């Protein structure tokens, strides 16, 4: 039983390490495709880092890791307005499917990010 638990813990820790690093994707918006880069760091069940687009870089807040599911919040500020963006992702190997929603608005978008080698 202890060997099984050790194997599960080792697998979980090695999986978390796979999240850490640079990820790239492209979000299709009404104004066309917007490339983005995520620099992620996993520390146990905590996710930190940044998300960058041509409009600037945003800090990841409230980042959580539960197995292969990630959640985090980014705040986008423009012209004195702030939008809270909720992010949910499912990681499979070196790919993650991300769904974003803008708080207070009926806006939901999806994109796929790939881990850069």
């Amino acid at each position: 039983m202890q060997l099984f638990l050790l194997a599960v813990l080792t697998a979980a820790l090695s999986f978390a390490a796979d999240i850490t690093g640079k990820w790239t994707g492209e979000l299709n918006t009404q104004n066309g495709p917007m490339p983005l880069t995520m620099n992620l760091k996993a520390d146990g069940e905590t996710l930190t880092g940044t998300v960058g687009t041509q409009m600037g870089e945003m800090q990841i807040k409230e980042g959580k890791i539960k197995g292969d599911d990630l959640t985090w919040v980014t705040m986008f500020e423009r012209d004195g307005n702030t939008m809270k963006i909720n992010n949910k992702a499912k990681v499979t190997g070196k790919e993650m499917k991300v769904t974003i929603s803008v708080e207070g608005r009926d806006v939901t978008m999806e994109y796929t990010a790939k881990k850069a080698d």
Side-chain angles (χ1 to χ4, degrees), residues 13-103:
L13 291 174
S14 67
F15 178 79
D18 284 345
I19 295 168
T20 297
K22 182 178 179 180
W23 295 75
T24 59
E26 188 171 86
L27 181 63
N28 290 318
T29 71
Q30 59 188 347
N31 299 323
M34 178 173 37
L36 53 83
T37 302
M38 297 181 287
N39 289 299
L40 306 179
K41 182 174 185 218
D43 183 10
E45 291 186 346
T46 302
L47 178 69
T48 58
T50 59
V51 177
T53 70
Q54 69 238 24
M55 294 194 244
E57 192 170 85
M58 298 169 282
Q59 287 293 125
I60 289 176
K61 300 174 189 270
E62 302 173 31
K64 295 181 178 121
I65 303 167
K66 299 256 188 221
D68 57 356
D69 294 317
L70 311 176
T71 59
W72 70 91
V73 170
T74 51
M75 304 298 278
F76 177 73
E77 296 183 31
R78 185 173 179 176
D79 300 328
N81 296 316
T82 302
M83 288 189 293
K84 182 177 181 181
I85 304 169
N86 297 303
N87 300 264
K88 293 180 182 180
K90 180 81 153 180
V91 179
T92 306
K94 293 188 175 202
E95 188 172 283
M96 78 170 74
K97 302 231 183 249
V98 184
T99 302
I100 64 171
S101 60
V102 179
E103 192 167 281

Side-chain angles (χ1 to χ4, degrees), residues 97-112:
K97 302 231 183 249
V98 184
T99 302
I100 64 171
S101 60
V102 179
E103 192 167 281
R105 298 187 181 176
D106 190 20
V107 176
T108 301
M109 294 183 262
E110 296 182 345
Y111 65 92
T112 299

